[in-house]
Amino acid sequence: MSLKEKLFPENRLGLGRFWNFSRGGIDNFRSGLRDAVSGVEQTRSRMMDYDQLLVWAVLSLALIGLVMVYSASITLADGPKYANYSSNFFLIRHCISLAIAISVAIWVFKIPTHVWDRYSPIIFGFTVLLLIAVLIPGIGKGVNGAKRWIPLGLMNFQPSELMKFAAVIFAASYTVQRQEYLHSFVKGMLPMGIAVALVGGLLMAEPDMGALVVISLIAFGILFLGGINAKLFGGLLAVGILSAVTIIAFSPFRQKRIMAFIDPWQVDNAANKGYQLTHSLMAFGRGEWFGLGLGGSVEKLHYLPEAHTDFIMAVIGEELGFVGVVVMIFLFYWIVRRAFLIGRTALQLDRSFAGLAAKGVAIWIGWQAFINMGVNLGLLPTKGLTLPLVSYGGSGILMNAVAIAMLLRIDYENRILMRGGKL
């Protein structure tokens, strides 16, 4: 066999015809080119039905949260407060919460996005009634001086968590329907301001200022993204800051928290309102670059209060170190980034409600994660906010899962439309 036959066999994409170019001239060349092109199998790129990387990021946070909740709570049974509980109590409850959340999320994913748009006012109104019900003696349950839960057997449901989701869909629907009035204070801004003020009054009665901050950020963040007048938004921002200052000024408890935040290491602060912050900072300091290893935290041994809920990030910092904290931040960054991109795609497809709702989920997850991490790191005053998808708490995990399921549904519908399909 000649070298030509070894390199260019006749049955291989018609390349043997190219060898005869000098003999057959341009006609043979064109014939060989046609055979070569027709010999290549044409394929179409396949679009996934869902955002696989987003799902993996969410599952990664949930699994890390499961491990860290167990690590942070395993020694609580040794203290007097949880003496009647087993060391696996919080792990089992967290597993039940995750199972319920995943089941509900699968069901929510099947709900078309336009259904949330249609029933958003009803859902918002129903959630307001739940916020009222939680304040009624015999219905609401109090923990550590706050009355925020309604007992439901398997879990204590927190209406303020549902209100975060209701705020997303209600604000998105409101912004779309009032698009032509967003430059008007009376018709555009005032109705939403009244709704947020009503919710704020009920949340402050619990009290739950952390949830109020997140809900306000969601509602007015969506209005801003929807194209509200810049002057109105600036005025709204000023009113929000003034309201926060007023609440703090008339609340000695919150004044002490602010002073403890400014100087947590002062002797009186470190033993009182700055106690959680100082021990959280010590946990991060002990973790250094790579942490002490799973189970190695000292601060969770009854030094750091609420180590499995509000301050779980401090335990992560102590046991997994700076590297573990960076991984957590990256996972939250990825979820928020994908949510904004999904929202942008929906808006490009002329799906205004879906686009604003997706961006509302990004605001919710992003700001709540930022506030929780900021509190743990001493960048913000201490607030009772959990870390989304990670901290122990059935209501929080459930509503985070519902929000992610709706986000994935929006992305799923976007992909159908981009393929040329119909909803």
Side-chain angles (χ1 to χ4, degrees):
M1 180 181 293
S2 65
L3 179 61
K4 182 263 294 188
E5 292 173 336
K6 291 181 179 179
L7 294 177
F8 304 104
E10 293 292 328
N11 62 346
R12 189 177 179 183
L13 301 179
L15 291 174
R17 295 181 180 270
F18 288 104
W19 191 269
N20 297 323
F21 169 67
S22 59
R23 297 180 182 178
I26 193 67
D27 291 337
N28 285 343
F29 173 75
R30 289 174 176 171
S31 177
L33 183 60
R34 284 195 302 269
D35 291 345
V37 172
S38 63
V40 178
E41 182 181 356
Q42 297 182 3
T43 59
R44 296 177 62 185
S45 59
R46 182 177 180 271
M47 183 187 296
M48 297 289 292
D49 290 333
Y50 64 97
D51 192 326
Q52 192 173 30
L53 291 178
L54 173 61
V55 173
W56 279 114
V58 171
L59 290 177
S60 297
L61 281 176
L63 291 174
I64 292 173
L66 179 64
V67 174
M68 297 312 302
V69 164
Y70 183 47
S71 177
S73 64
I74 192 172
T75 61
L76 291 179
D78 298 334
K81 184 177 180 179
Y82 301 104
N84 296 326
Y85 295 77
S86 69
S87 59
N88 298 325
F89 174 79
F90 291 99
L91 172 65
I92 295 172
R93 297 273 295 188
H94 196 67
C95 287
I96 294 173
S97 297
L98 284 174
I100 294 173
I102 292 172
S103 301
V104 173
I106 293 173
W107 174 72
V108 169
F109 178 78
K110 298 178 181 179
I111 300 176
T113 306
H114 68 84
V115 174
W116 297 115
D117 185 13
R118 181 186 307 168
Y119 293 103
S120 59
I122 297 175
I123 295 172
F124 183 84
F126 173 72
T127 309
V128 169
L129 293 178
L130 289 180
L131 290 177
I132 296 173
V134 80
L135 300 174
I136 299 175
I139 297 179
K141 178 182 179 181
V143 178
N144 295 330
K147 202 168 186 180
R148 306 173 185 171
W149 295 268
I150 297 177
L152 294 178
L154 289 177
M155 69 168 62
N156 295 321
F157 186 72
Q158 193 170 352
S160 59
E161 293 293 337
L162 176 59
M163 179 52 75
K164 293 173 186 176
F165 178 77
V168 169
I169 58 176
F170 180 74
S173 180
Y174 177 89
T175 302
V176 173
Q177 294 177 9
R178 298 266 180 157
Q179 189 67 43
E180 58 181 317
Y181 301 118
L182 290 183
H183 294 279
S184 168
F185 174 77
V186 175
K187 294 183 178 181
M189 175 67 72
L190 189 59
M192 179 59 73
I194 293 174
V196 173
L198 172 62
V199 172
L202 293 173
L203 289 173
M204 292 306 298
E206 294 183 2
D208 193 353
M209 188 173 180
L212 173 58
V213 170
V214 174
I215 291 168
S216 299
L217 288 170
I218 292 170
F220 295 114
I222 291 176
L223 280 177
F224 175 76
L225 294 173
I228 194 171
N229 181 279
K231 292 182 179 180
L232 288 178
F233 186 78
L236 175 67
L237 187 62
V239 170
I241 295 174
L242 181 62
S243 300
V245 172
T246 302
I247 291 172
I248 293 171
F250 286 92
S251 175
F253 170 77
R254 293 186 175 87
Q255 291 179 23
K256 292 179 181 178
R257 275 195 169 182
I258 295 295
M259 296 306 298
F261 161 70
I262 295 173
D263 186 10
W265 301 104
Q266 197 268 340
V267 176
D268 290 338
N269 292 336
N272 293 289
K273 297 303 179 185
Y275 180 82
Q276 285 178 302
L277 178 55
T278 54
H279 281 276
S280 177
L281 294 175
M282 284 189 281
F284 282 108
R286 286 175 52 82
E288 297 185 353
W289 286 99
F290 299 102
L292 302 175
L294 283 174
S297 172
V298 173
E299 290 299 327
K300 70 182 182 183
L301 303 177
H302 308 290
Y303 294 104
L304 180 63
E306 308 300 334
H308 60 306
T309 55
D310 300 348
F311 282 86
I312 195 169
M313 195 65 187
V315 179
I316 292 173
E318 187 174 4
E319 297 190 351
L320 304 182
F322 176 79
V323 173
V325 172
V326 169
V327 169
M328 297 292 291
I329 292 173
F330 174 77
L331 290 173
F332 278 110
Y333 157 77
W334 187 261
I335 292 172
V336 172
R337 176 180 179 273
R338 289 305 307 160
F340 271 116
L341 290 177
I342 290 169
R344 186 179 70 178
T345 301
L347 291 174
Q348 291 171 341
L349 294 170
D350 199 25
R351 306 178 65 221
S352 299
F353 170 79
L356 292 175
K359 293 187 176 187
V361 173
I363 295 171
W364 172 7
I365 300 296
W367 273 108
Q368 184 163 331
F370 173 77
I371 293 172
N372 178 273
M373 293 180 186
V375 167
N376 278 248
L377 291 165
L379 302 175
L380 297 171
T382 304
K383 293 303 314 158
L385 277 176
T386 57
L387 189 61
L389 300 167
V390 178
S391 294
Y392 173 82
S395 300
I397 292 290
L398 174 61
M399 297 317 304
N400 293 157
V402 168
I404 295 297
M406 184 181 69
L407 179 63
L408 289 171
R409 177 69 191 193
I410 294 171
D411 179 58
Y412 171 74
E413 292 177 354
N414 287 347
R415 292 168 188 253
I416 291 176
L417 293 175
M418 286 189 290
R419 291 192 188 98
K422 295 183 179 180
L423 298 179

